[in-house]
Amino acid sequence: MQNLMRANAALLFAGLATFILMGAGQSLYGPALPAFSRIFGITVDGAGLLVSAHWVGCLIGVSAMFVYGAKITPRYVLALMAAGMAALAAQASWGLTLTGAVVFGVGYGCATAVFNPQMLRAFGARGPAMLSLLNATFGVGAIAAPLVFVWLGNNPQTTFAIVAALCALIWLGAGGAGRTEVRAETGSVAPFRPHWGILAFGMMAIGMEACLIGLGPTALIRAGMTEVRAAELLSAFFAAFLLARVGLIFTAHLIGSFTLYTGAMALAALCSMGAVLISPAVFFVGLGVCAGLFFPGYYVTASRKMGEDLRVPPTILLSGLVGGIASPLLLPPLLADMGDRGFFWLLACVSGALTIAAMAMTRGLNR
């Protein structure tokens, strides 16, 4: 393992640093929505378009990987992320702010398609564990950013500017890391076998994750909490998210990947009902554990079932992005007449139905 770490040191550094900044950038959308609503004179639901704009950018970035994947290096990714964060910090207009979310999303989408398959392949049998480590670092940035946002007085301009500056700083040290690995390891070595069942499960899970991160703070505010408390709970959500990912570093090779997905979805159903019936604050944090397990279980299962063709990683990610884009748009109208805990009622229904469907397919998808 130490030899593998040394051989892939550049890939590991660039991946971990980039994912920390990805987590920081994405986690700021939720706490920033009320502030943007006031700044631009729009409703909070209207400000939720920022979340969908981010996922539209991700879709563009992942789609671009079909054509340009072998040429994309961490420096391209970080340049896009820095530009997007700078536009969000500028607050020149609502249109420019949405554009910034799209541009940051493009860099974010490219990063997921660059680093996840490389990490899974570069570390062989320990690939799932290293994939979990990579995605765990996302949680480090996601925990810190909302706390910094509160410490700066709920000021989105300064907070987004800090993330933009950090992206630029990491760009300086990223060099050409990743270029050799991409070209060497993304050739078509097996048939392209889309598996529509697992892609559908991924679409729903990533849609839930997007709503928890982007709309969860607003749901907590509707349940009676202050903006500061909602931002603090989002950091706690990501702390739980991070702990779940860190745990997988040591256990991913012991658990069937789709069993992991099924268990995470069942836990999400229980936590959602707990948020409805007992405490939105406590069980929203619990949902962070579930969100931390969705992607690793889905991605590893889909990779194993669909082969190693160049088109497989973008296809896996694209299915999740469909859910990530559509869910924040579809949910607000459904919640209008569902009361102050309608968000959690809806999550409970969706995760419960997905648990039943996943249980019926676990054996076949683990095989």
Side-chain angles (χ1 to χ4, degrees):
M1 185 62 180
Q2 290 182 347
N3 290 336
L4 284 173
M5 295 285 283
R6 284 194 294 268
N8 296 287
L11 170 65
L12 193 60
F13 164 76
L16 297 181
T18 301
F19 268 64
I20 288 171
L21 295 177
M22 288 163 62
Q26 186 184 349
S27 69
L28 287 173
Y29 291 129
L33 292 186
F36 280 128
S37 173
R38 291 190 293 270
I39 290 166
F40 296 111
I42 57 178
T43 65
V44 174
D45 287 345
L49 284 174
L50 204 64
V51 179
S52 289
H54 168 82
W55 291 105
V56 167
C58 290
L59 179 63
I60 295 169
V62 172
S63 298
M65 293 298 293
F66 278 102
V67 181
Y68 302 109
K71 299 179 181 179
I72 300 297
T73 69
R75 277 196 159 179
Y76 287 111
V77 168
L78 287 159
L80 288 166
M81 289 168 57
M85 285 286 108
L88 283 159
Q91 298 180 13
S93 69
W94 179 233
L96 179 63
T97 301
L98 287 174
T99 301
V102 171
V103 173
F104 178 75
V106 173
Y108 184 112
C110 288
T112 58
V114 165
F115 290 112
N116 280 302
Q118 287 183 44
M119 199 70 72
L120 190 60
R121 294 169 184 163
F123 289 91
R126 297 292 296 176
M130 296 306 293
L131 183 76
S132 297
L133 172 62
L134 176 69
N135 285 275
T137 59
F138 175 97
V140 174
I143 292 166
L147 295 177
V148 171
F149 181 81
V150 170
W151 182 66
L152 293 172
N154 290 19
N155 186 333
Q157 185 174 43
T158 304
T159 316
F160 282 117
I162 290 171
V163 178
L166 289 173
C167 287
L169 184 63
I170 299 300
W171 180 91
L172 293 173
R179 177 175 293 165
T180 301
E181 291 88 341
V182 171
R183 289 177 177 172
E185 302 200 23
T186 55
S188 295
V189 297
F192 181 46
R193 306 186 304 266
H195 192 295
W196 304 113
I198 184 59
L199 291 175
F201 279 118
M203 178 184 69
M204 297 301 294
I206 303 307
M208 286 179 59
E209 181 182 335
C211 288
L212 283 166
I213 295 170
L215 304 180
T218 302
L220 292 171
I221 292 168
R222 284 177 172 163
M225 294 167 206
T226 65
E227 291 180 19
V228 170
R229 181 60 174 157
E232 292 170 344
L233 286 170
L234 185 63
S235 281
F237 170 98
F238 278 114
F241 180 103
L242 176 61
L243 287 174
R245 291 276 172 91
V246 170
L248 285 180
I249 297 170
F250 307 102
T251 61
H253 61 292
L254 303 174
I255 306 169
S257 56
F258 199 69
T259 298
L260 179 65
Y261 176 98
T262 305
M265 198 57 69
L267 182 61
L270 292 174
C271 287
S272 297
M273 286 305 302
V276 170
L277 301 174
I278 304 173
S279 168
V282 171
F283 286 95
F284 177 73
V285 174
L287 282 162
V289 173
C290 311
L293 300 177
F294 287 156
F295 180 78
Y298 159 59
Y299 189 89
V300 174
T301 303
S303 296
R304 189 162 37 78
K305 286 292 183 181
M306 293 172 58
E308 298 181 3
D309 184 275
L310 178 65
R311 295 164 290 181
V312 168
T315 301
I316 295 171
L317 296 168
L318 281 170
S319 68
L321 291 176
V322 171
I325 293 167
S327 296
L329 290 175
L330 296 175
L331 234 63
L334 296 175
L335 298 175
D337 299 317
M338 293 185 66
D340 59 3
R341 299 190 185 184
F343 177 82
F344 298 105
W345 270 117
L346 201 53
L347 284 183
C349 293
V350 172
S351 55
L354 285 171
T355 300
I356 294 169
M359 289 174 66
M361 298 181 66
T362 297
R363 180 176 295 180
L365 288 174
N366 272 336
R367 187 174 300 124

